[in-house]
Amino acid sequence: MTWLDPKPYLRGVAWFDGGRAVRADPADLDRLPWDIRERSRVPVGVRLEFTARGATAVDIHYRAALPGPTNALHGLAHTFALWHDDALVQEFTPDPAEEAVVRIQLPALQGSFTVHPPESVSPEILGLRAAGGAIAPAPRRPRWLVHGDSITEGWWSTRPAHAWPARAGRALGLDAVNLGYAGAARGELATAEQLAALPADLLTLAFGTNCWSGAPFSAPLLYETVRAFIGLVRRGHPDTPLLVLSPVLRPDAERTANAGPATLGDLRTALEEATRARIAEGDTRLALLPGRGLLTPEHLADGLHPNDTGHALMADAVAAALREADFVARSGRDACSPTA
């Protein structure tokens, strides 16, 4: 059977660079720091979504890097995970190869299927085909851009589908586009302009932690950076619902000053005050979710990144905040009953 073009089936895609899904504008990389450029090549959150009619399996032709030792550390083997609606059906772990075809067996179920590829080895999906029937692209859902750091990327979640943007996206029926950049997300204004240029039905900004460590901000600097960042995003999305999530718990940084000097508590306050100031100025499509109380130390895998339980708690809190602000309905979905 003829191989199908994968692009109509791919979800969570911000940009394409040729046939590869990437997470920064390939025509605008020179303005970005090296760490964002590097992380943007990893297709975090990119997945295949399809419906099946009579098909007993789907073949996925892909090209990928061979897994390294860090992949084993994070439990991210060369594994393809098949989901049906909000339930994991089965995982398939073929022998690692730079180019191969994996066959995913499909149960006889109605509705949409999702395949999460092993994003840690940067797979490029080259084609797919059905066995014993036909497949079609799943219906499009409202597009949710989520910008943040390694916590948004999903570090220390045991599988891509467990990261908080993926969980919240499933719960709300949204196409989550993960624009989290590990080590970065320090309020880079070029990123704000790229977000402004992307189509979106809903946006979430979740950064600030790396402004304590990676680039030591003072509280006044972060306050002005947040205002400038939101202002640039608003140039492209003047009325799009936007949720700001302030940093979650980081025990070693809460009361320890960086070179700014500022504690993470100081920076969190500055980010929240900047967001509240814009709301007070009349931005009625902007909402704030304070992050400090969402997690406790037992929800952190390494003192910084959430474990699976922490990611689930963050997903629940973000989904609840979006519902409370009525942002999900405004983004184009009439009903948003949770599926998680």
Side-chain angles (χ1 to χ4, degrees):
M1 185 176 181
T2 303
W3 287 101
L4 302 172
D5 181 358
K7 286 185 177 180
Y9 296 84
L10 288 170
R11 300 292 185 268
V13 177
W15 294 271
F16 283 103
D17 186 6
R20 180 178 292 276
V22 295
R23 299 186 305 119
D25 186 351
D28 189 33
L29 294 180
D30 290 345
R31 296 195 302 142
L32 298 175
W34 72 270
D35 43 12
I36 293 181
R37 294 198 301 269
E38 288 296 313
R39 295 308 302 172
S40 71
R41 297 190 182 103
V42 182
V44 174
V46 176
R47 59 210 181 273
L48 292 159
E49 294 187 358
F50 57 90
T51 59
R53 188 178 69 254
T56 58
V58 61
D59 293 333
I60 300 173
H61 182 201
Y62 67 96
R63 183 183 297 125
L66 294 177
T70 56
N71 304 136
L73 173 67
H74 290 275
L76 298 175
H78 207 75
T79 297
F80 293 75
L82 175 69
W83 287 66
H84 178 262
D85 294 332
D86 193 46
L88 174 65
V89 176
Q90 192 173 353
E91 292 185 334
F92 300 82
T93 306
D95 292 335
E98 293 182 353
E99 185 170 341
V101 175
V102 60
R103 171 157 287 195
I104 308 294
Q105 300 295 330
L106 300 178
L109 297 171
Q110 300 297 316
S112 295
F113 292 97
T114 300
V115 173
H116 290 269
E119 62 188 28
S120 61
V121 292
S122 299
E124 178 183 1
I125 307 301
L126 303 175
L128 64 164
R129 64 188 179 189
I135 59 172
R140 292 282 179 180
R141 300 179 180 181
R143 199 165 189 243
W144 178 31
L145 305 184
V146 188
H147 170 59
D149 49 34
S150 56
I151 295 172
T152 298
E153 260 202 7
W155 277 39
W156 285 101
S157 61
T158 56
R159 289 293 183 267
H162 296 168
W164 73 260
R167 285 180 178 269
R170 287 195 303 274
L172 298 171
L174 301 172
D175 177 13
V177 179
N178 191 315
L179 299 175
Y181 308 117
R186 301 164 294 247
E188 294 86 357
L189 299 185
T191 294
E193 291 186 307
Q194 292 194 6
L195 290 171
L198 279 173
D201 299 293
L202 181 67
L203 300 109
T204 293
L205 308 178
F207 65 87
T209 295
N210 289 332
C211 297
W212 178 80
S213 53
F217 277 52
S218 66
L221 176 58
L222 185 57
Y223 178 92
E224 295 299 337
T225 299
V226 170
R227 287 184 60 84
F229 196 100
I230 294 175
L232 286 173
V233 171
R234 281 297 188 222
R235 288 189 178 184
H237 298 286
D239 300 312
T240 304
L242 177 105
L243 176 71
V244 174
L245 169 62
S246 66
V248 297
L249 174 69
R250 181 173 177 173
D252 67 331
E254 293 298 333
R255 298 183 180 180
T256 303
N258 64 11
T263 67
L264 183 61
D266 296 333
L267 296 177
R268 185 183 294 111
T269 297
L271 184 148
E272 292 174 359
E273 288 180 347
T275 304
R276 291 190 180 104
R278 282 201 58 101
I279 295 171
E281 292 164 2
D283 192 339
T284 61
R285 297 296 183 95
L286 178 63
L288 171 68
L289 173 59
R292 174 61 178 84
L294 300 185
L295 305 179
T296 56
E298 62 266 27
H299 302 133
L300 302 176
D302 60 352
L304 171 59
H305 301 96
N307 53 28
D308 279 350
T309 300
H311 277 284
L313 290 170
M314 290 185 67
D316 290 345
V318 169
L322 292 172
R323 293 190 192 101
E324 183 178 354
D326 197 27
F327 281 178
V328 176
R330 290 178 184 176
S331 70
R333 184 176 169 90
D334 293 329
C336 53
S337 58
T339 58

